[in-house]
Structures are given as structure tokens and as C-alpha cells.
Amino acid sequence: MTPPPAPAMAAESDAVHGGRRRHVLLFPLPYQGHINPMFRLAGLLHARGFSVTVFHTHFNAPDPARHPQYRFVPVPVPDGTSGPAPAAIEDVIAQILALGAACESGFRDRLAAVLEEYSRDAVACLIADAHLLPIFEVTAKLAVPTLALRTGSAACFACFLAYPMLFEKGYLPVKGMSSDPASVRQSQRDMPVSELTPYRVRDLMVFLGDDDRGSLRELLARAVTAVKVSSGLILNTFDALERRELEGLRRDLTVPVFDIGPLHKFSPAGDSSLLRQDRSCLDWLDARPPASALYVSFGSLACMSPRDLVETAWGIAGSGVPFLWVVRPGMVRGSAHQEQELPEGFEAATRGRGMVVAWAPQEEVLRHRAVGGFWTHNGWNSTTESVCEGVPMLCCPYFGDQMGNARYVEHVWRVGFEVGGELERGAVEAAIRRLITGKDGAEMRARAGELKKAAEECIGKGGSSCLAIDKLIAHMTSL
Ligand code: UDP
């Protein structure tokens, strides 16, 4: 699917004020899966006539040289509250909560200076990641209207809203989940959550559900508060994918909801990658037959055990399928170097049939005709990027919203299936073959092709996402 042409510069009444571009201020959460959609939104708004100013932390800071059209404002945080990105999800949650709090006073000063410089009238609004509640509190005090960007699915945000109910009704906490997950009965994991169909208990963000610190509950509650105090919720999803879930959110929220995704199809690939993308894999794919290769990547945060890496590697090797595998530095717990991570003999066993890179140009890889399947952790960006290219998925969710996304892939859209249970090389081999060369893999590919077409309609002229973008811009300029 080729991206639609960049939208024309907005009219005088729109993003241009008194003959000058109006400013939109952005504050992304500094993780790859949150930075990418925010920068796509920046590209879209810039093309519609806004001047873009990006506030950012030093942790995972963007490179201003790669975005000369934007202004960047670093926000100082006290020492000890930033980087490097932790490996355990509990620590990522703690880091997100700490980062927001640490930014507050530095952001207040920087925002006040920016408002004075631009003049208050020239600033349309600020758009912040929904996980940065302290930013919403500062902007409220300075009377700057603020929109929330949630980078996950509509279904996932409905789950955030439902979290207190899940505790009241006894779905959560799942007893024993944080101390001894293996002891939790299958029936308990598979219990349907009738209020959040098609989720089962295992698809909720449960792993910290009975954690003493309650940090996950706090994180979700704060994101809900941020959205409720905002002037609107922007979601990187689209009508054809989540119509029912979007209707539910519109019923449950009093703020408007703008489903303007898939953002990566609206805005050129501004380079917001934190790691260098190894483009040589595209040449490697050029030499492969159509739909023959498996692309394997678990995103920017998920970490696997050394044992799972070994099973994954030998499963890939044993499948006989050509593969492109992203082994990110630090992806395996307790190891920092790719060379140390792959089992001895793997390279020889797969020579000429596979390529391993540290980081790939994922959107281009998924768009490549040689890619026949995606073994993914089901981060929301990876999931939508795959859907939009008609690539079926082998799902291996690790944490957070990934289990729920995998549930939709398998059960609702039927464009993939989960590699269930403990990773084991025999099961991995069979799953890869089923996806790439199997009959039902072909059926999933056909359904993914239908979803790709539906996505194209949403982003085409008069499509739901295009209309939502127009509504968003009208809303931003009316605030
Ligand atoms: N990505 C990439 N190269 C890679 C792997 C991932 O550019 O080798 C990008 C991918 O296209 C996506 C983002 O990193 O936009 C990962 O976001 P996602 O929500 O899928 O997962 P997260 O990293 O947040 O777990």
C-alpha cells in the first residue's frame, strides 16, 4: 500500500493564524513504541500547516538533526530518574511513573518560556502521551488545552477504564500470578471476561495484578485521569479494525475520540528510530520468492530468557523456512551482545537461508513482497504495521497490552495464532511451517489481505480516518 499524498497546507482559518502557522506542542513518552506514533502525528500536523515543537527528556532523546523542520525543547530531569531502559516490565512501569513526576517542574519552566515566546494565541494545543499525567496537570494550570495520545488499541484503553471493575468483580487479582504464575490453574487463566469480550483473564494486563506496590493499577488509573482531564483522545487505530470498541469508548468517555490511525500510513517515515536500522536486510529479501520468508521481531522492550532464545533459534532452524530475525542488543536477559546470544551451530545450520540483524526497517520489511509471516510480540505498532501490509502473524506476547492484541489477532481478525505455552523447538517449527506454508496460514494471509484493503479504505479520500483527522484539526483550532 503506498501512503496517500501528503495533505495540502491548511487554509488560513485552519492551522494558520494571523498569516503565521499555529504551533502545536508535543510531548512523547520516551520509548520507541510511543515515539514512533507521536512523530507520525507530528508529520501529519506539520503537513496540515502547524509548526511543531517537541518537548523531550534526555532519556531516549530524539535527534534534532533528523527533523530539521521541528523545534526541540529538552526538559531537564533530576539525576537518577532516567535510562537505561530496564529489562523487567515492573521496572519499566516504575520508570514511566518516575519520569513523569521528574519532568514536572522542568516542563513547567520550559512551557512558560515557550508560551511567552510564541504568544499564547499562536499555540493551538499540546498533545502529550496519556502516560504523562504530570504534563496534563502543568498545562491545565497554564490554561493550555491538551489532547491525549494513547498509542495502544481502543480495546486496550477500554481495559484501562475497566480495571477498577475487574478488581470489584473478582477477575483480578489473579491469586498466585505474581508469586508463582505456573501454579495458576488453566481454567482460571481461560475464564472469559464477559464485560470485555473477547478477553479472557489471561489477556488482561494481569501479571502485576496482585503486586503489592500496585504500580500497574496506578499507571493505568493515571492514564485514564489524563484522558478524562484532556480535551480529547487520539488513538492510533481505525474504524475497520475496532468499530465496536470505538463505539464503546465514545459511550463511556465525555471527551471526543479521534481514531486517526494507522498513523504510519499518513506521514512519511521521519526517522524516529532510536537504534540504527540495518537496511541490508531489504537486499537480502529482494532475492527471496514472494511470501516465502518469516520476519521475527519482538520489539524494543521485550526480553527473553536464554532458554527461550535457544528454543526459538532451533525452532527457526528446524522449520526450514527462510527468515529475517531481529536480535536486539540486550534482548536476552543477562546478555548485552548479539554474538554471545545465538546458540553455537545456529549460523552454520541456517547459512544461506536466514539473516540476523540488530534492528530492521520494520515497516519496509513488512511491506516487502518476500515476507510471508511475522513472528511478533504483538506490540500495538507491530500489530497494526503487519495488518496494514496483509502479513499474518505468529503471536508471542510478553506483557502489557500484547496479550490482548494477540487475542484480537487470533480470535477477532483471525489473521494469526498464538505459539502457546512454554517455547519449545518442536512446537515452534510446526507453528512456523503452519504460518508460512500451511493451508490455514494461507487462509490467514487472505484475511490479512482483506484487512489491508479495509485499512486502505479508511485512509483513502473520505475514509473514516481521513474524516477523523479533519475533525481533530477543526477541534484543535477551536480550543
Ligand atoms: N521496529 C523497528 N525495527 C525493528 C523492530 C521494531 O523499526 O527491528 C519498530 C516497529 O516498526 C514499531 C516499533 O519499533 O513501530 C515497536 O513498537 P511496538 O508497539 O510494536 O512494540 P514495543 O517496542 O513498544 O514493545
Side-chain angles (χ1 to χ4, degrees):
M1 173 162 53
T2 43
M9 172 77 149
E12 172 75 12
S13 59
D14 200 347
V16 182
H17 174 75
R20 297 218 317 264
R21 280 170 171 255
R22 288 189 82 172
H23 294 272
V24 62
L25 316 178
L26 305 178
F27 203 145
L29 187 72
Y31 296 93
Q32 189 71 75
H34 295 251
I35 291 171
N36 285 1
M38 187 65 97
F39 272 81
R40 295 313 184 109
L41 180 59
L44 190 157
L45 295 174
H46 188 262
R48 294 288 291 251
F50 288 93
S51 283
V52 173
T53 299
V54 182
F55 291 87
H56 65 87
T57 57
H58 288 287
F59 169 63
N60 281 346
D63 176 1
R66 292 198 227 156
H67 312 274
Q69 69 281 36
Y70 307 151
R71 175 170 178 203
F72 288 87
V73 180
V75 173
V77 294
D79 284 348
T81 38
S82 60
I89 184 59
E90 299 90 312
D91 298 333
V92 175
I93 291 174
Q95 190 181 49
I96 294 173
L97 291 168
L99 268 174
C103 279
E104 193 171 340
S105 98
F107 173 66
R108 189 182 309 117
D109 294 346
R110 293 292 186 275
L111 178 62
V114 161
L115 291 176
E116 199 172 303
E117 187 187 331
Y118 292 167
S119 105
R120 176 63 196 79
D121 283 356
V123 174
C125 66
L126 181 131
I127 303 175
D129 193 286
H131 281 308
L132 289 172
L133 178 60
I135 301 307
F136 291 77
E137 291 167 345
V138 170
T139 53
K141 285 193 193 118
L142 294 179
V144 177
T146 304
L147 291 149
L149 172 68
R150 239 317 280 163
T151 55
S153 68
C156 172
F157 194 69
C159 186
F160 281 26
L161 287 172
Y163 229 60
M165 176 278 289
L166 296 171
F167 277 84
E168 271 158 34
K169 295 211 169 172
Y171 291 109
L172 298 179
V174 181
K175 297 275 177 298
M177 189 56 109
S178 60
S179 52
D180 182 13
S183 70
V184 179
R185 287 195 318 275
Q186 190 73 23
S187 59
Q188 205 179 342
R189 289 168 181 264
D190 287 344
M191 188 201 300
V193 180
S194 56
E195 296 83 352
L196 285 177
T197 309
Y199 286 150
R200 301 155 299 181
V201 166
R202 63 156 71 193
D203 304 315
L204 305 171
M205 288 161 273
V206 290
F207 290 95
L208 298 171
D210 56 352
D211 150 63
D212 287 338
R213 290 173 295 163
S215 56
L216 179 66
R217 283 182 85 175
E218 187 184 341
L219 184 81
L220 305 191
R222 289 167 74 85
V224 167
T225 303
V227 168
K228 287 187 172 167
V229 301
S230 79
S231 301
L233 170 63
I234 303 173
L235 285 172
N236 186 18
T237 188
F238 52 101
D239 186 72
L241 212 50
E242 295 201 281
R243 182 168 306 148
R244 182 180 63 90
E245 292 73 12
L246 284 159
E247 277 167 13
L249 286 186
R250 292 199 169 98
R251 211 178 38 237
D252 294 343
L253 290 171
T254 52
V255 297
V257 177
F258 302 97
D259 49 325
I260 62 168
L263 277 163
H264 70 284
K265 288 291 177 188
F266 276 110
S267 162
D271 189 358
S272 55
S273 188
L274 295 167
L275 294 172
R276 198 187 67 78
Q277 295 178 326
D278 183 341
R279 300 187 60 79
S280 64
C281 59
L282 297 170
D283 299 332
W284 183 85
L285 285 171
D286 283 346
R288 307 278 137 202
S292 64
L294 177 75
Y295 171 55
V296 187
S297 170
F298 306 115
S300 62
L301 288 173
C303 287
M304 53 170 51
S305 65
R307 179 212 162 270
D308 281 357
L309 180 88
V310 170
E311 293 306 307
T312 301
W314 289 120
I316 289 173
S319 73
V321 164
F323 66 89
L324 169 62
W325 185 10
V326 176
V327 181
R328 197 187 74 234
M331 185 184 88
V332 178
R333 279 196 282 280
S335 165
H337 302 291
Q338 178 180 321
E339 292 73 23
Q340 294 167 6
E341 289 167 356
L342 295 177
E344 209 181 315
F346 174 79
E347 209 266 314
T350 59
R351 194 165 298 142
R353 182 163 63 80
M355 184 170 189
V356 177
V357 294
W359 196 242
Q362 179 162 303
E363 288 167 33
E364 286 169 80
V365 166
L366 288 168
R367 206 179 306 141
H368 199 288
R369 58 168 182 77
V371 171
F374 181 13
W375 184 0
T376 171
H377 70 310
N378 286 116
W380 183 243
N381 293 290
S382 294
T383 303
T384 51
E385 287 160 9
S386 198
V387 156
C388 288
E389 302 306 339
V391 176
M393 285 166 261
L394 197 55
C395 306
C396 189
Y398 283 77
F399 54 71
D401 63 341
Q402 297 160 13
M403 288 84 69
N405 297 338
R407 178 70 170 158
Y408 270 75
V409 166
E410 179 163 2
H411 186 80
V412 179
W413 308 315
R414 296 168 57 231
V415 294
F417 60 95
E418 200 172 331
V419 202
E422 278 264 281
L423 279 183
E424 188 273 312
R425 66 191 73 182
V428 168
E429 274 179 44
I432 294 174
R433 286 204 209 98
R434 179 181 165 202
L435 184 74
I436 301 292
T437 54
K439 184 169 166 288
D440 59 346
E443 287 165 3
M444 289 174 208
R445 194 165 301 110
R447 281 193 287 273
E450 293 302 314
L451 265 189
K452 175 181 170 171
K453 280 196 209 127
E456 282 167 345
E457 279 174 25
C458 287
I459 64 170
K461 198 166 180 288
S464 59
S465 298
C466 276
L467 297 176
I469 290 170
D470 289 343
K471 279 190 197 151
L472 169 66
I473 288 172
H475 183 64
M476 284 168 63
T477 49
S478 72
L479 291 168

